[in-house]
Amino acid sequence: MDLYKLMKNRRSTREFQNKKFPDQKLQLILQAGQLSPSGADQKPFVNIVIDNPILKKKIKDNCESADKKYYEDASEWFKKWMKKKKISLDKNFLIDAPFLIVVAGDTTKPYWLESTWISIAYMILAAENEGLSVLTYTPSETDFLNNLLHLPNRFEPVVIIPVGYAKDKASKETSINVEERVFINKYGERFFY
Ligand SMILES: Cc1cc2nc3c(=O)[nH]c(=O)nc-3n(C[C@H](O)[C@H](O)[C@H](O)COP(=O)(O)O)c2cc1C
């Protein structure tokens, strides 16, 4: 599919069908994550694919209790936004999606966080290209993942990406208001009109 069309059609998914997809699609997504540019070419990230239902349930339980605490202290603005978006504190997507990809960055490497996020962006677009949906889920605590996944302490889990077929496959285009955020020569001088 055309890259720009793909970017416009992509939407975060929080409800997944309980349906498997070919392994080859997952391989392509994971390979795409390794093709991104990285600071000093260090590729300071690892991906752990999770398909074990018991492990998925443990991750869900940990995430839900951490997020509940985070939500209680959150600002009113954030709570309203969550309600409007119908984002629930139940993280069923962590057990419904056939695969989770935990992406962790090596904190000892230069530009580790920036490089890890670019790699994540590549995987998000690759999933869209494979007709799959994902969520960029950033749990409010991640230490438990180091223990659960035997991940050495120098790695910091950055995101959990559930991958699967969306329940609602309708494609919704985003309005981007590009003219309000892109300037030429100085802030405020619009590039687009
Ligand atoms: C850095 C980052 C962190 C995010 N964390 C979460 C999260 O923890 N939970 C969640 O439901 N969505 C999360 N999202 C998804 C955003 O809410 C979503 O991208 C945004 O609302 C725009 O919707 P769209 O992806 O459908 O365009 C995150 C996205 C990014 C880029």
Side-chain angles (χ1 to χ4, degrees):
M1 202 200 273
D2 171 72
L3 180 64
Y4 300 110
K5 208 168 172 188
L6 199 107
M7 287 172 164
K8 274 189 177 169
N9 285 338
R10 182 212 56 81
R11 288 281 73 75
S12 293
T13 294
R14 295 179 183 82
E15 286 185 68
F16 290 87
Q17 295 178 40
N18 192 354
K19 183 179 157 191
K20 292 238 182 283
F21 57 84
D23 282 354
Q24 201 212 356
K25 285 182 184 284
L26 184 64
Q27 286 165 9
L28 288 167
I29 294 167
L30 294 163
Q31 282 163 359
Q34 304 295 317
L35 295 171
S36 61
S38 71
D41 204 13
Q42 293 294 292
K43 300 211 187 307
F45 35 73
V46 292
N47 300 334
I48 301 185
V49 176
I50 293 163
D51 67 348
N52 179 317
I54 297 165
L55 205 48
K56 281 158 86 179
K57 175 76 169 64
K58 278 187 189 163
I59 291 174
K60 175 182 182 279
D61 290 347
N62 275 279
C63 288
E64 284 179 348
S65 57
D67 282 5
K68 267 178 195 134
K69 270 187 240 147
Y70 178 81
Y71 183 80
E72 279 160 16
D73 296 336
S75 66
E76 284 311 307
W77 172 88
F78 185 71
K79 286 179 183 172
K80 266 192 195 157
W81 180 82
M82 294 256 298
K83 243 188 196 162
K84 194 176 138 210
K85 278 272 206 171
K86 296 189 182 129
I87 300 179
S88 157
L89 289 176
D90 299 325
K91 307 296 172 193
N92 291 327
F93 52 77
L94 294 172
I95 47 174
D96 292 342
F99 293 104
L100 308 178
I101 305 173
V102 173
V103 186
D106 183 342
T107 58
T108 63
K109 299 275 173 69
Y111 309 107
W112 71 272
L113 190 54
E114 298 87 336
S115 303
T116 302
W117 273 109
I118 294 178
S119 163
I120 293 164
Y122 270 47
M123 287 196 279
I124 292 172
L125 285 176
E128 185 71 27
N129 197 43
E130 294 307 315
L132 294 164
S133 294
V134 299
L135 178 66
T136 316
Y137 174 54
T138 46
S140 26
E141 273 174 34
T142 58
D143 286 356
F144 73 91
L145 286 169
N146 289 76
N147 296 328
L148 212 53
L149 309 178
H150 301 212
L151 193 59
N153 280 340
R154 69 176 192 282
F155 286 102
E156 189 173 309
V158 171
V159 75
I160 304 175
I161 308 177
V163 193
Y165 291 107
K167 260 195 183 156
D168 170 15
K169 281 171 71 179
S171 94
K172 298 159 250 169
E173 285 206 359
T174 332
S175 61
I176 51 175
N177 299 335
V178 65
E179 64 282 356
E180 291 174 13
R181 292 195 204 93
V182 182
F183 308 115
I184 179 152
N185 295 324
K186 62 178 180 186
Y187 176 84
E189 195 76 55
R190 287 186 172 190
F191 182 88
F192 289 94
Y193 283 93

